[in-house]
Amino acid sequence: MLKFDSDLFLQAVGKEAIAEREKIEGIVDHISAKGFSNLFLIGAGGTIAMMYPYEYILKSNSTLEVHAEIAAEFMVMNHKHFSKDSVCIFASVSGTTKETVAAAQFCKERGAKTIGLVANPNTPLAEIVDHCITTGHEKHSFDTFFIHLYMLVFRFMHNNNEFPLYDKFAKEVAILPQALLSAMESFEQRAEAFAIKHKNTDYHMLVGAGSLWGNTYSYAMCILEEMQWIRSKSIHAAEFFHGTLELVEENTSVILLKGEDETRPLVDRVERFAEKMTKELFIIDTKEFALEGISEEMRAYFGISVNWAVLNRISVYLERERNHPLETRRYYRKMEY
């Protein structure tokens, strides 16, 4: 695969991420034993998008109160559900994202319990939070964060007597990285073909729902807009027919992200419309990937990781075809604003 080290992926997302299970369970068990009022999932840009799937999972599977909040807005909104009894989970690859670091400090000063996911230890976020879970390196950090969030969120549900299949779930999390690698390998030709065909396409609609809404939002904004300077719009499938449908034309690029949770029929509805209106419909469906060893009842949850892994195979080919490195920026972290 282009620009991909399979051994490094399995080491980082497999062995190293999975090795944190005992630590993560200890953190969650300690907090659960003391009691808490609610969970806040806080981030900025790609990391708040990363939190949306887990907010959805908690809302649809648990009675635990949960709020996914954009860091900068959270600090000014006077959130009436936030208190010293809240548990706040943050994520930042660099550990230096200004808004996220400030929000962590804000929560810590008000007595809330804080947990940080970071790639780099010895960084501001890592030093502020009560509990830090680190990957130790930036390579494959989002894939690793997803693994850690599975462990955190489902352990909280398990401790709330709401997820009796936790042990089975945790065992399947451990084999998920190999299933992700197989999914990426099987998607490689489609990823390359899409990038070749759309290297000059200047606008994409991305549609998703449920546990894949965060990926939809993140890929449009963080990858296509920030990293490739391509205009895009992320549209929730449930909202597509309240405005956006009027902009679909024969050559409009529509990318549908289909998962296997309860919201799949919402995306099916968009598919039925789009296949009649545009010749440029591209569907990424987690159901098409074998995911050896993953049970049917867990596939809907793991679709988050599967979808993100294969989406990022498109990214490396867009980078090549457009001669536009994913690291190139004009403004982000280049100037004060």
Side-chain angles (χ1 to χ4, degrees):
M1 292 192 288
L2 180 67
K3 293 185 68 175
F4 191 85
D5 185 329
S6 299
D7 292 335
L8 177 60
F9 179 83
L10 291 176
Q11 176 68 25
V13 185
K15 291 182 181 178
E16 294 176 12
I18 302 303
E20 296 296 310
R21 176 183 173 181
E22 184 175 349
K23 176 181 178 179
I24 291 170
E25 290 180 345
I27 292 169
V28 175
D29 291 352
H30 175 75
I31 292 172
S32 297
K34 288 184 171 295
F36 61 96
S37 61
N38 49 35
L39 295 168
F40 277 79
L41 311 178
I42 301 173
T47 55
I48 183 57
M50 178 190 300
M51 299 298 190
Y52 291 146
Y54 299 93
E55 179 190 41
Y56 176 84
I57 286 171
L58 282 163
K59 283 184 173 180
S60 57
N61 292 275
S62 174
T63 58
L64 291 171
E65 181 185 314
V66 59
H67 305 272
E69 303 292 346
I70 301 170
E73 183 178 57
F74 169 74
M75 288 188 292
V76 300
M77 73 184 296
N78 191 27
H79 204 302
K80 295 301 184 183
H81 290 272
F82 171 75
S83 72
K84 63 179 178 59
D85 297 317
S86 298
V87 176
C88 303
I89 302 174
F90 306 87
S92 171
V93 175
S94 67
T96 64
T97 308
K98 290 181 180 180
E99 300 95 330
T100 305
V101 171
Q105 187 67 44
F106 177 93
C107 295
K108 184 77 176 289
E109 290 173 353
R110 285 155 182 78
K113 289 289 181 290
T114 54
I115 301 171
L117 306 180
V118 299
N120 300 314
N122 306 314
T123 52
L125 181 61
E127 292 169 358
I128 289 170
V129 295
D130 297 311
H131 306 283
C132 181
I133 304 161
T134 179
T135 66
H137 49 76
E138 294 189 8
K139 195 67 174 175
H140 303 301
S141 54
F142 267 49
D143 297 294
T144 300
F145 285 171
F146 284 139
I147 296 290
H148 290 163
L149 283 165
Y150 284 133
M151 294 177 178
L152 284 165
V153 165
F154 282 83
R155 188 67 176 184
F156 274 116
M157 288 198 295
H158 171 71
N159 288 351
N160 204 44
N161 297 316
E162 293 177 316
F163 196 69
L165 296 176
Y166 177 79
D167 288 335
K168 178 180 181 180
F169 174 82
K171 289 176 182 177
E172 293 191 24
V173 170
I175 62 175
L176 180 60
Q178 182 61 59
L180 296 178
L181 179 59
S182 297
M184 286 185 280
E185 290 172 342
S186 69
F187 188 73
E188 196 74 359
Q189 288 186 345
R190 288 191 69 202
E192 182 176 21
F194 179 91
I196 292 171
K197 184 176 184 179
H198 288 284
K199 63 181 179 181
N200 294 319
T201 299
D202 60 2
Y203 176 66
H204 298 276
M205 292 181 179
L206 285 86
V207 183
S211 58
L212 294 190
W213 168 242
N215 288 7
T216 310
Y217 175 71
S218 184
Y219 200 78
M221 180 176 66
C222 297
I223 308 299
L224 295 182
E225 292 182 345
E226 179 184 329
M227 298 185 183
Q228 285 295 297
W229 305 349
I230 299 172
R231 292 174 178 83
S232 64
K233 179 177 174 62
S234 52
I235 310 114
H236 197 290
E239 289 288 277
F240 182 87
F241 294 98
H242 295 272
T244 305
L245 79 165
E246 292 294 341
L247 295 180
V248 179
E249 298 177 342
E250 185 180 25
N251 294 312
T252 303
S253 172
V254 178
I255 303 170
L256 298 187
L257 307 186
K258 297 185 71 171
E260 298 169 63
D261 64 25
E262 308 86 347
T263 64
R264 186 178 175 92
L266 303 178
V267 186
D268 286 339
R269 185 184 179 206
V270 178
E271 180 182 352
R272 289 193 297 270
F273 171 84
E275 65 186 1
K276 299 173 186 174
M277 301 302 172
T278 178
K279 296 184 296 184
E280 301 300 339
L281 175 62
F282 188 78
I283 302 171
I284 301 177
D285 187 349
T286 62
K287 213 168 192 177
E288 295 178 1
F289 300 103
L291 306 184
E292 185 177 351
I294 304 300
S295 61
E296 283 297 318
E297 55 202 336
M298 301 302 173
R299 288 182 64 101
Y301 305 127
F302 294 147
I304 306 163
S305 290
V306 176
N307 175 263
W308 189 253
V310 299
L311 270 174
N312 278 285
R313 297 313 302 154
I314 294 176
S315 305
V316 294
Y317 284 106
L318 282 175
E319 176 183 52
R320 184 193 73 184
E321 293 301 313
R322 292 167 52 78
N323 192 28
H324 186 121
L326 294 167
E327 298 79 17
T328 300
R329 305 289 187 276
R330 289 181 293 186
Y331 311 125
Y332 183 60
R333 299 201 179 203
K334 298 287 188 181
M335 59 181 290
E336 291 295 325
Y337 42 80

